[in-house]
């Protein structure tokens, strides 16, 4: 699939050159170096940077070069093309890697934007740049190759005089066949829809729903998984697969929804006061029908984000977030009584709990791309847990082999940014308590170990406290076109103690500028 994207992009290079004759070509080039006290970098030096750095990059050098251009033949249409390549060298392992970080063609017509390729973007209401990360798409993983049709900004609903507006996305993506992916060449279906109420009033309310499905692909034992047009229609509607007999390994697809379904309820309060603004947002994740019962789901990402719109302010933005994902529809066994033969009772709990966020019995890689969690980076994959905990073993590994092994987290997060034209800063501080998974604490997702044997050994029992900090400073040593970025990361707690440094020098500018088309604004 990557070869196809490269061929498409090179085929479009003549159009890219042609666009430069009419409009602006923006470019950036930078060199970076990072070092860490452990065999992996501190959390905030790698998290939410669109997967450019890996946890295992102890001593790394990086070069990044990119350019973009916009062609506007008239006031109705615009075409944007961007190429962004990264070359990375790991000094500790003596390995190098060259990859396309971004490469896309974007077409705008009226309120609609069509994008094809890899593009860095997030999904979900949150404090961009300061947040711990959206529960849907946080910017923690590399961009997924995709085709997307979107109304990216709120647009007025007809006949409401601007009081009601909407936006949304519809995406089809390819997750590839990297060595970490259990189901090769699986597909991504993603859609979102938002409504905002309030119009010109200073206080607005927004409500949105995000639906994401990993589906299709090829299992190493089962073979090709359902991926016909009819199956795609089922994925879109969240329906189950065709009925199968009880011995079929795809029984779960027929009993539940086809593919690995997940989603987020997303709400926001937007307050505007002259040059200042306040955003209060609330995201609730869900994995199945029990979690989708909004008012019974106790899990959430709650954020309060203040922005000072004036430039050159030492406090330009501040956010506080509270993340709680311990509940997951409760501690009961998943499924119903019929799925628990021989079990006399459910210890007083209703059946249908243990939602196991970002995991799936069939798509064992989970909500992960190129070994990076796509949603909140405060969860742990198996590879990250093994970096923190020597000899880590997941109790579910032999039977289900889930990839996300720490998804029951309670966290408090603070982000602050500000500065002047000459110096800008960002500070992140995150305090977490990590409970692992229900399957881990019970000795298996379908077991009752935490009740029958509360002293059973488990890496996250008792829960482990962990803290992550980042201080980032950006200056302009030569001119506004040059940026010197210095980041210091520090982790401490019961799981890991680590410190690291990340330094980069970047130049960005404009190669060529031509007069705008008459009638453009």
């Amino acid at each position: 699939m990557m070869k196809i994207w490269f061929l498409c992009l090179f085929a479009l290079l003549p159009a890219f050159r042609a666009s430069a004759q009419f409009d602006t070509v923006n470019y950036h080039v930078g060199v970076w170096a990072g070092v860490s006290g452990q065999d992996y970098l501190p959390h905030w030096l790698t998290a939410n940077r669109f997967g450019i750095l890996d946890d295992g990059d102890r001593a790394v050098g990086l070069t990044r070069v990119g350019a973009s251009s916009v062609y506007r033949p008239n006031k109705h249409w615009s075409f944007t093309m961007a190429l962004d390549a990264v070359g990375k060298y790991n000094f500790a392992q003596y390995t190098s890697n060259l990859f396309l970080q971004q490469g896309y063609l974007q077409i705008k017509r009226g309120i609609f934007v069509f994008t094809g390729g890899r593009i860095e973007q997030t999904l979900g209401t949150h404090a961009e740049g300061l947040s711990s990360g959206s529960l849907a798409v946080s910017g923690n993983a590399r961009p997924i190759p995709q085709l997307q049709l979107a109304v990216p900004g709120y647009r007025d609903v007809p006949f409401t005089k601007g009081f009601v507006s909407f936006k949304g996305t519809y995406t089809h993506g390819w997750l590839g066949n990297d060595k970490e992916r259990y189901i090769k060449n699986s597909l991504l279906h993603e859609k979102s829809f938002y409504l905002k109420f309030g119009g010109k009033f200073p206080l607005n309310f927004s409500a949105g729903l995000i639906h994401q499905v990993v589906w299709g692909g090829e299992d190493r034992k089962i073979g090709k998984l359902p991926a016909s047009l009819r199956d795609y229609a089922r994925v879109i509607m969240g329906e189950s697969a065709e009925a199968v007999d009880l011995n079929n390994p795809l029984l779960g697809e027929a009993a539940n929804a086809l593919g690995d379904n997940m989603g987020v309820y997303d709400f926001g309060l937007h307050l505007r006061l002259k040059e200042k603004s306040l955003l209060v947002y609330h995201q609730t994740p869900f994995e199945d029908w029990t979690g989708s019962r909004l008012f019974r789901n106790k899990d959430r990402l709650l954020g309060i984000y203040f922005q000072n719109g004036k430039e050159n302010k030492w406090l330009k933005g501040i956010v506080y977030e509270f993340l709680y994902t311990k509940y997951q529809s409760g501690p009961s066994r998943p499924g119903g009584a019929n799925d628990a033969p021989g079990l006399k009772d459910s210890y007083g709990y209703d059946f249908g709990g243990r939602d196991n966020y970002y995991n799936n019995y069939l798509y064992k890689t989970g909500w992960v791309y190129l070994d990076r969690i796509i949603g909140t980076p405060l969860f742990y994959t198996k590879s990250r847990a093994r970096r923190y905990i020597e000899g880590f073993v997941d109790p579910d590994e032999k039977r289900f082999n889930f990839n996300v092994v720490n998804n029951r987290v309670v966290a408090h997060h603070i982000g602050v940014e500000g500065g002047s034209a000459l110096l800008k800063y960002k500070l992140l501080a995150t305090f977490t308590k990590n409970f692992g998974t229900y399957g881990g604490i019970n000795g298996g997702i379908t077991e009752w170990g935490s009740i029958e044997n509360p002293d059973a050994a488990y890496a996250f029992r008792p829960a482990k406290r962990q803290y992550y900090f980042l201080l980032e400073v950006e200056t302009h040593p030569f001119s506004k076109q040059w940026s010197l970025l210095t980041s210091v990361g520090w982790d401490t707690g019961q799981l890991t103690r680590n410190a690291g440094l990340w330094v980069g020098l970047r130049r960005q500018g404009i190669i060529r500028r031509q007069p705008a088309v008459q009638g453009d604004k």
Side-chain angles (χ1 to χ4, degrees):
M1 181 56 65
M2 180 58 70
K3 293 181 180 179
I4 295 175
W5 285 110
F6 270 113
L7 289 174
C8 292
L9 288 168
F10 279 118
L12 289 169
L13 280 175
F16 178 73
R17 294 180 60 188
S19 69
Q21 299 175 14
F22 298 94
D23 225 318
T24 299
V25 177
N26 298 285
Y27 74 90
H28 64 86
V29 57
V31 291
W32 314 80
V35 65
S36 173
Q38 298 281 2
D39 291 335
Y40 46 87
L41 289 169
H43 176 77
W44 285 124
L45 290 188
T46 63
N48 290 349
R49 297 180 186 268
F50 291 100
I52 288 181
L53 292 174
D54 298 322
D55 288 336
D57 289 334
R58 178 181 182 180
V60 61
L62 185 148
T63 301
R64 185 171 183 177
V65 179
S68 64
S69 183
V70 182
Y71 171 46
R72 299 184 180 91
N74 54 54
K75 63 181 181 181
H76 301 294
W77 291 87
S78 72
F79 301 83
T80 302
M81 183 173 177
L83 294 171
D84 188 3
V86 173
K88 186 167 66 173
Y89 186 79
N90 191 313
F91 295 102
Q93 301 176 4
Y94 304 104
T95 59
S96 60
N97 188 18
L98 176 65
F99 56 89
L100 186 69
Q101 177 67 8
Q102 294 190 96
Y104 61 88
L105 174 66
Q106 193 170 77
I107 304 172
K108 296 182 180 180
R109 176 64 167 89
I111 67 173
F112 296 102
V113 177
F114 172 81
T115 305
R118 293 184 184 267
I119 183 170
E120 293 182 346
Q121 59 184 7
T122 62
L123 183 60
T125 307
H126 64 296
E128 195 83 37
L130 289 180
S131 170
S132 64
S134 169
L135 295 177
V137 180
S138 66
N140 186 58
R142 291 262 306 279
I144 298 171
Q146 60 184 249
L147 300 175
Q148 182 184 86
L149 181 64
V151 179
Y154 281 104
R155 298 289 181 163
D156 293 347
V157 174
F159 311 112
T160 65
K161 297 183 178 180
F163 184 80
V164 183
S165 55
F166 76 99
K167 68 176 182 178
T169 60
Y170 188 93
T171 304
H172 177 79
W174 293 265
L175 294 170
N177 58 357
D178 59 278
K179 62 181 180 179
E180 291 88 3
R181 184 152 296 279
Y182 188 84
I183 303 292
K184 303 296 183 182
N185 298 313
S186 51
L187 305 171
L188 170 67
H189 169 71
E190 180 181 86
K191 56 182 176 289
S192 67
F193 184 75
Y194 287 80
L195 288 174
K196 182 187 279 189
F197 305 87
K200 296 181 179 179
F201 289 95
L203 181 64
N204 280 204
F205 169 74
S206 65
L209 176 64
I210 301 170
H211 179 217
Q212 298 156 317
V213 188
V214 178
W215 66 291
E218 185 171 357
D219 182 273
R220 62 190 70 179
K221 297 179 181 179
I222 302 173
K224 291 187 177 181
L225 300 177
S228 67
L229 288 177
R230 179 68 184 96
D231 294 319
Y232 184 44
R234 292 187 175 101
V235 165
I236 294 172
M237 301 303 296
E239 298 177 351
S240 59
E242 292 182 357
V244 295
D245 61 63
L246 295 178
N247 296 320
N248 194 302
L250 296 179
L251 180 62
E253 300 293 275
N256 303 300
L258 177 62
D260 180 9
N261 284 255
M262 65 202 84
V264 173
Y265 295 111
D266 195 359
F267 302 96
L269 283 175
H270 312 255
L271 178 64
R272 301 185 305 272
L273 296 173
K274 294 184 178 180
E275 295 180 333
K276 298 177 175 59
S277 66
L278 182 69
L279 170 64
V280 180
Y281 51 92
H282 183 285
Q283 296 183 8
T284 295
F286 60 88
E287 289 273 346
D288 56 19
W289 74 270
T290 55
S292 65
R293 295 176 294 182
L294 176 62
F295 297 104
R296 296 185 62 179
N297 192 334
K298 302 176 184 178
D299 294 325
R300 68 202 61 211
L301 172 68
L302 174 65
I304 303 173
Y305 180 33
F306 169 79
Q307 282 184 291
N308 188 345
K310 293 183 179 179
E311 294 293 332
N312 303 329
K313 285 292 182 179
W314 288 102
L315 181 60
K316 187 176 181 180
I318 181 170
V319 65
Y320 164 76
E321 288 183 342
F322 172 67
L323 175 68
Y324 185 96
T325 60
K326 274 185 64 180
Y327 179 59
Q328 301 192 25
S329 296
S332 175
R333 282 181 52 136
N338 293 331
D339 299 323
L343 190 63
K344 295 180 180 179
D345 59 49
S346 58
Y347 293 91
Y349 300 113
D350 293 333
F351 285 98
R354 306 185 188 182
D355 289 348
N356 208 6
Y357 293 150
Y358 295 177
N359 281 319
N360 182 263
Y361 85 102
L362 183 60
Y363 292 87
K364 299 180 186 297
T365 306
W367 192 227
V368 175
Y369 181 60
L370 298 177
D371 204 32
R372 305 283 299 181
I373 290 179
I374 301 170
T376 175
L378 299 183
F379 291 177
Y380 295 173
T381 60
K382 190 179 299 182
S383 62
R384 184 177 172 195
R386 286 174 175 166
R387 290 190 179 100
Y388 289 177
I389 306 168
E390 185 176 356
F392 172 80
V393 176
D394 180 23
D396 265 322
E397 187 167 333
K398 289 184 178 179
R399 182 175 181 185
F400 290 105
N401 195 26
F402 294 125
N403 190 28
V404 179
V405 296
N406 178 37
N407 56 24
R408 299 181 66 231
V409 176
V410 178
H412 300 270
H413 172 82
I414 298 172
V416 184
E417 67 179 354
S420 65
L422 299 178
L423 185 149
K424 297 178 181 178
Y425 76 91
K426 179 167 72 174
L427 175 66
L428 303 180
T430 311
F431 310 86
T432 69
K433 194 171 183 179
N434 302 273
F435 296 81
T437 64
Y438 274 125
I441 199 170
N442 285 288
I445 196 70
T446 59
E447 304 299 326
W448 284 102
S450 60
I451 294 175
E452 296 176 342
N453 185 12
D455 297 323
Y458 178 49
F460 293 98
R461 181 162 51 201
K464 299 298 188 292
R465 299 182 184 274
Q466 187 62 40
Y467 314 104
Y468 315 108
F469 301 94
L470 174 77
L471 175 61
E472 193 165 270
V473 177
E474 180 181 356
T475 59
H476 303 280
F478 310 117
S479 66
K480 291 182 178 181
Q481 291 181 320
W482 289 90
S483 299
L484 176 64
L485 188 72
T486 304
S487 304
V488 178
W490 177 46
D491 299 345
T492 186
Q494 296 174 298
L495 291 169
T496 180
R497 297 176 183 270
N498 194 14
L501 177 67
W502 180 246
V503 179
L505 183 63
R506 182 174 186 263
R507 179 183 170 89
Q508 60 184 358
I510 299 172
I511 296 176
R512 190 178 211 174
R513 185 188 297 274
Q514 293 289 344
V517 175
Q518 187 175 4
D520 282 0
K521 295 183 180 180

